[in-house]
Amino acid sequence: MAGFGALKFLFDNTLSTDYDMFIVDINGGGVTNGLGGDGTELITDSVYRKSKPYLYGTTQSTQLEFDLTFASSKQIDRIQLAKIQRWLFGKRNYSKLQILQCDLDTVYFNCFLLNPTVTSVGNMPYAFTCKVVCDAPWAWEFPKRKTFSSSLFETDVVFYNDSDNTDYMYPYNEFTLNALTSSLKVINYSDNGRIAEFVNLVPNETITLDNQKQIITSSTGLNRLGNFNKNWFRLVSGVNKLRIVGGLEASTMTYQNARKVGS
């Protein structure tokens, strides 16, 4: 991808055309370098008189950063300038930036726009250049949902995790037991047989499981952490061979893929 030029964008749920703004590629700039999301760091430890360090794992802790220039097709007066600055800068939380071009229509950057500088001609501003700082080493695909139900006591399911983040994915699960089930077990054979298990629930109970934040909510209003084995449900990169033990009236898994965007 050679960069972004003369493109509409959506930021904080506001379309750039509302302010007659678009993204421009100035002097060959734009998003052309450093957008791979490959900033993997090794976690190692060296031992005395051992030439080979121990590898404990890896992490991708570097946040994605790049520069963008936003411009208007006409000069911006001071009143409009203040409105644009309130819209783009000084946010208190991450905001979604979506570049409206065909190869990016399914992803967004969850980011802050920082360090803005104004370009003026004849003392009249017409462009901003800023640094985009994201919440992760990559862009995010919009959330997807997978639904499932089964009256069988044991059911095998295969799920392919094609996220560009090769670490574990922790989805958001919601499931409702059927009238004959009070316990549920999910075995992931692709994750060394890891078991996520609930016991002593009630038939037709609905459980929501935020595996990333480790929060459990029950339709009964009861605290169900004590009914759970604390193995939060996760998915490995690639194929996940799952076995569900227990009948489900309904089940929904919501997940988000990381997407590396760059030249």
Side-chain angles (χ1 to χ4, degrees), residues 28-213:
V31 184
T32 57
N33 298 305
L35 277 181
D38 290 320
T40 301
E41 299 178 14
L42 304 182
I43 303 173
T44 61
D45 190 16
S46 298
V47 180
Y48 178 64
R49 303 190 71 175
K50 297 288 184 180
S51 60
K52 182 179 179 180
Y54 288 100
L55 176 65
Y56 294 121
T58 62
T59 182
Q60 296 195 60
S61 58
T62 304
Q63 292 174 282
L64 176 61
E65 298 182 4
F66 55 92
D67 295 328
L68 274 186
T69 298
F70 307 102
S72 175
S73 59
K74 56 188 178 183
Q75 291 181 327
I76 305 168
D77 61 42
R78 295 298 172 178
I79 295 176
Q80 185 74 349
L81 176 66
K83 292 180 180 179
I84 292 171
Q85 288 176 317
R86 286 196 299 269
W87 164 45
L88 295 176
F89 310 114
K91 299 295 183 182
R92 299 177 65 87
N93 296 293
Y94 287 103
S95 299
K96 291 183 175 63
L97 170 64
Q98 187 179 4
I99 312 298
L100 302 181
Q101 70 179 39
C102 60
D103 59 340
L104 292 172
D105 59 359
T106 62
V107 302
Y108 66 89
F109 302 96
N110 204 36
C111 63
F112 283 97
L113 305 182
L114 303 177
N115 304 326
T117 59
V118 180
T119 301
S120 300
V121 174
N123 203 34
M124 292 295 291
Y126 74 93
F128 300 89
T129 297
C130 66
K131 181 174 291 293
V132 181
V133 179
C134 301
D135 69 340
W138 38 66
W140 294 104
E141 204 168 52
F142 286 95
K144 295 182 177 181
R145 300 179 69 195
K146 184 177 180 64
T147 59
F148 173 81
S149 64
S150 177
S151 60
L152 300 176
F153 185 71
E154 293 193 14
T155 308
D156 291 326
V157 177
V158 176
F159 177 82
Y160 187 78
N161 173 15
D162 69 341
S163 174
D164 290 339
N165 178 10
T166 57
D167 202 349
Y168 293 112
M169 173 189 286
Y170 290 89
Y172 184 93
N173 297 94
E174 180 175 314
F175 62 87
T176 301
L177 303 177
N178 65 23
L180 302 176
T181 300
S182 60
S183 297
L184 185 75
K185 179 189 301 184
V186 181
I187 307 169
N188 190 343
Y189 292 111
S190 302
D191 191 12
N192 299 313
R194 181 182 174 91
I195 299 174
E197 184 175 19
F198 281 92
V199 296
N200 299 324
L201 302 178
V202 297
N204 300 124
E205 182 174 352
T206 298
I207 294 288
T208 57
L209 195 63
D210 188 333
N211 296 284
Q212 184 67 47
K213 297 180 180 178

